[in-house]
Every structure is written in C-alpha cells, then in structure tokens.
Amino acid sequence: MPKDAADLHVERWRDHWVLEDDFDDGIEAMTFRLHQLVRHLRATTKAALAEVGLQDFEYDTLHRLMIRETPGRASPGELAQETGVSNAGMTGRLDSLEKKGWLKRVPGTEDRRRVDVEITRAGMRIWNRAMNLRGRAEDEVGSVLSARELATLNRLLRKMTLYVEDEETR
Amino acid sequence: MPKDAADLHVERWRDHWVLEDDFDDGIEAMTFRLHQLVRHLRATTKAALAEVGLQDFEYDTLHRLMIRETPGRASPGELAQETGVSNAGMTGRLDSLEKKGWLKRVPGTEDRRRVDVEITRAGMRIWNRAMNLRGRAEDEVGSVLSARELATLNRLLRKMTLYVEDEETR
DNA sequence: GACGAATAGTTCGCTAGCGAACTACTTTCG
DNA sequence: CGAAAGTAGTTCGCTAGCGAACTATTCGTC
C-alpha cells in the first residue's frame, strides 16, 4: 500500500520521540489528513472562484446566505454564526459585498437593532456561476472514491460531526 | 439515523434549487463535514494551546520544525512549504518566535542566501507541553470511532490524500 | 570569466479578521 | 413605569498573512 504524507509523518514521529502521553497513531494520521484535505479543497476552490472574480470569503458569505432555510435573507449575526466568523468580521464582509452590489442591508422592521441582509440579482448571478465551478473542483477529489466508499466515509464523518455539534450546543 | 448539519444542508439544497450542473450529494456532504471537523479541531486546539500561552500559528511553526526528518532544524522556505504559508508569512512568524526566544536564525554555512532555523531549549519545552494538550483535544473527537472504524476512515482519507499529493507535485 | 537566470529570504503596502468597546435598541424586573 | 440587563451590529486598533518587489547570493551558459 502506498504511503501518504500522514503515514510518513507518523513513522518519523515514532522514530524520533518518546512521548509523555502516548499518541494514537490513527488519530494523529486522521487529523493530519483532515487538515491536508481541507487545505487542498480551499486552494482548489480559491482558484476556481478566481475565474468569476470572487474571493473565497465573498463566495462563502453569498453561499451561506443562499443555502439558508430563508434563501437570500439573514441577519448579520446569523451569518456570522453559520460561517464561524466574528460579528466584527461579518460586518467587514458585508461592507465589502454591499459595496460591490451583491447584497444590501435593510433595516429590520420589528426590531430596530436588527439589520436584514438580502442578496441582489447581481449577487445571485455571480453566486450561481461560482457554485458550479466550485462543485467541479470538489468533485475531482471525491471521485477517487467509489459510491460505496463515499457512503462509508460520510457515515464515519457523521459520527464525529454529530459529536461535535452536540459539544457546540452545550 | 440522526442527522447532522451536513444532512440538513443537503436536504435543504434539494428543496430549493434546480441546478445547472448536478451536484453529488455525497461529495457535497463530505466537503461540508470535512470543513466542519477541521473548524472544530482548530477551535479546540486553539483553546488547549492558550493554556500554555501559545497561539496556533506559533504551535504550528514549532511543531512542523520538530517533526521533520531533521528535528528542530529547517530553512524558512522548507517551513513555509510544509505549513502552507507564504515565504513572507513565514518570515513574519519566524520574526515573532525568534523575538520570544523559542527559535533562532543561523546563517547558512554553504549557501549564504540560506538561513537555518533552529529551535531553542525554551522552544522545545513549550512545544512539548503544548503538544500533549493538543493531543488530548484531538483524541476527544476521534474517540467516538472504534479502532476498526478509525482504520477504515484513514484508509478512505488516504485514498484522497494520495490523489491530492500527486496533484500537488505536478 | 562575465552575464543572465534562478533561488532564498526580507520588506512593504495592503487586507480579512479579531477582541474590546461602543451606540442604539429591546427585554426584564422591581 | 423606569432603570438595569441583555442583545444587534458597528467602530477601532491591532495582527497574521498575502502578493509584488526588492536585495543578496548561487548556478548555468556562452
């Protein structure tokens, strides 16, 4: 079986270190691979988005806005939470996207503290184009797995994400 | 079977959108979960590292320096490549770590363009403390899987990382 | 041996994002 | 009903990192 960078990493690890707390090689390798895959996905997504003139934080924001239960509409706080960006960071993102005409801020009607964020037609168009490109970039990595393997992978990942989601609601 | 955020995401996706290019739900869910898990791992690692007074970019740099084939010694260019940070970014990281006394820069002997980066005793001590804490944070997530499941997960992840590594050496 | 190309690392101007503090508004409690 | 507490979003000063341009050095070719 060919070795990837995580295998080499774990092997070197064993060669060089006597560790206070024993590390689970399997978990160490898993963590290494997860980071590596996400790093790759980010890079390929970034390159794909550049083709339509979007940066990844722009796409991320428009995408999160569009895939909500109320598509194309959210509050800044909701978007901040769903993207994992701080409220201040989301304010900056919205400033930038509003300036480019891809979304607009509307004062909340019932609660004057609130702002409603709405995507514009221009925003929907560019999001749509970007999404198709990004999907293809991701398909390349996923396509090395058979349908059955992909289902197994998702079942195992879900086991961890359910735990993570539970942890995050406490 | 309980549903995680990726399942809900894919379901809503189907409800709302007729898409130009068909998206593979399995790949979409996988991508969503990978990002979610890495985001969680980053957050838990960050919290753990704060206990010894390290920021994640500091730990990342010291860790990459220590797990090399030449532990504790590398060039800035090598570290930049292995961490995925630009040369300019790595220069800034090294500036900061050198200032704190955790590593030092030594002029290369054979090639005067080069700088050798070496970890200090203080750097090794703080890295060691941080690594134990980080390992425990990661173990929590991985421990929801059985040993057999972890092996299966790693086998499927490796299939993708081998593809990714191949792509990146072209 | 000289010159151009390539490489290693740094500097510079800029950006996306953060934490803390702020303003404006809503809710809760006495 | 008014004051205190809490919430929504923004501002501000700062940081980690980037791309481009730079300096210093090495290598390759003629």
Side-chain angles (χ1 to χ4, degrees), chain A residues 4 21 33 36 136 161, chain B residues 4 21 33 136 154 161 165:
Chain A
D4 65 356
D21 293 349
R33 289 184 177 112
Q36 192 179 3
R136 287 179 212 152
T161 55
Chain B
D4 64 355
D21 293 348
R33 289 183 174 114
R136 286 178 215 154
N154 268 314
T161 55
E165 283 165 28

Side-chain angles (χ1 to χ4, degrees), chain B residues 95-132:
Chain B
D95 283 349
S96 174
L97 291 163
E98 189 176 35
K99 195 169 182 176
K100 291 187 169 179
W102 293 331
L103 58 74
K104 63 187 179 186
R105 281 173 168 111
V106 179
T109 47
E110 289 172 25
D111 185 337
R112 292 205 303 245
R113 291 173 296 179
R114 282 183 60 113
V115 159
D116 283 325
V117 176
E118 282 179 23
I119 200 163
T120 60
R121 283 184 180 278
M124 282 190 64
R125 278 198 297 273
I126 199 165
W127 164 72
N128 203 12
R129 286 172 64 208
M131 193 180 56
N132 292 330

Side-chain angles (χ1 to χ4, degrees), chain A residues 1 4-5 7 9 13 17 21 26 28 33 36 63 66-67 134 136 149 154 158-159 161 165, chain B residues 1 4-5 7 13 17 21 26 28 33 36 63 66-67 134 136 149 154 158-159 161 165:
Chain A
M1 188 198 295
D4 65 356
D7 292 317
H9 162 73
W13 196 266
W17 300 107
D21 293 349
E28 182 66 25
R33 289 184 177 112
Q36 192 179 3
H63 188 65
M66 289 305 294
I67 63 171
R134 186 222 55 167
R136 287 179 212 152
E149 287 174 325
N154 268 315
R158 184 192 293 106
K159 217 168 166 175
T161 55
E165 283 165 28
Chain B
M1 185 198 301
D4 64 355
D7 292 317
W13 195 267
W17 299 108
D21 293 348
E28 182 66 25
R33 289 183 174 114
Q36 191 179 2
H63 188 65
M66 290 306 293
I67 63 172
R134 186 221 57 167
R136 286 178 215 154
E149 286 175 327
N154 268 314
R158 182 193 293 109
K159 219 169 163 173
T161 55
E165 283 165 28

Side-chain angles (χ1 to χ4, degrees), chain A residues 1-7 9 12-13 16-17 19-24 26-42 63-64 66-69 71 81-84 124 127-128 131-132 134-136 138-145 149-150 152-165 167-168, chain B residues 1-7 9 12-13 16-17 19-24 26-42 63-64 66-69 71 81-84 124 127-128 131-132 134-136 138-145 149-150 152-165 167-168:
Chain A
M1 188 198 295
K3 290 175 181 175
D4 65 356
D7 292 317
H9 162 73
R12 283 206 300 269
W13 196 266
H16 283 101
W17 300 107
L19 305 166
E20 281 177 34
D21 293 349
D22 212 7
F23 280 82
D24 188 308
I27 293 183
E28 182 66 25
M30 176 194 78
T31 303
F32 194 99
R33 289 184 177 112
L34 289 176
H35 277 99
Q36 192 179 3
L37 287 169
V38 163
R39 188 171 131 195
H40 179 80
L41 287 170
R42 283 199 212 284
H63 188 65
R64 284 289 177 170
M66 289 305 294
I67 63 171
R68 309 189 81 252
E69 212 148 294
Q81 171 141 71
E82 285 158 26
T83 56
M124 282 190 65
W127 165 72
N128 204 10
M131 193 178 57
N132 293 331
R134 186 222 55 167
R136 287 179 212 152
E138 287 168 10
D139 281 349
E140 281 188 38
V141 177
S143 66
V144 304
L145 302 179
E149 287 174 325
L150 183 59
T152 301
L153 177 65
N154 268 315
R155 187 171 54 76
L156 297 174
L157 292 176
R158 184 192 293 106
K159 217 168 166 175
M160 294 189 289
T161 55
L162 284 168
Y163 171 85
V164 158
E165 283 165 28
E167 281 285 288
E168 283 173 357
Chain B
M1 185 198 301
K3 289 173 179 174
D4 64 355
D7 292 317
H9 161 73
R12 282 206 299 270
W13 195 267
H16 284 103
W17 299 108
L19 306 166
E20 282 178 33
D21 293 348
D22 211 9
F23 279 81
D24 188 308
I27 292 182
E28 182 66 25
M30 176 193 78
T31 303
F32 196 99
R33 289 183 174 114
L34 290 175
H35 278 99
Q36 191 179 2
L37 288 169
V38 163
R39 189 171 129 195
H40 179 81
L41 287 170
R42 284 198 211 284
H63 188 65
R64 283 288 177 172
M66 290 306 293
I67 63 172
R68 308 191 81 250
E69 212 148 294
Q81 170 140 72
E82 286 157 24
T83 55
M124 282 190 64
W127 164 72
N128 203 12
M131 193 180 56
N132 292 330
R134 186 221 57 167
R136 286 178 215 154
E138 286 167 10
D139 282 349
E140 282 188 37
V141 177
S143 66
V144 303
L145 301 179
E149 286 175 327
L150 184 57
T152 301
L153 175 66
N154 268 314
R155 187 171 52 75
L156 297 174
L157 292 176
R158 182 193 293 109
K159 219 169 163 173
M160 294 189 289
T161 55
L162 284 168
Y163 171 83
V164 159
E165 283 165 28
E167 281 284 290
E168 283 173 357

Side-chain angles (χ1 to χ4, degrees), chain A residues 21 30 35 48 53 61 78 84-85 95 99 103 110 146 170:
Chain A
D21 293 349
M30 176 194 78
H35 277 99
T61 313
E78 287 165 338
V85 159
D95 284 349
K99 194 170 183 176
L103 58 74
E110 290 172 24
S146 69
R170 286 178 187 175

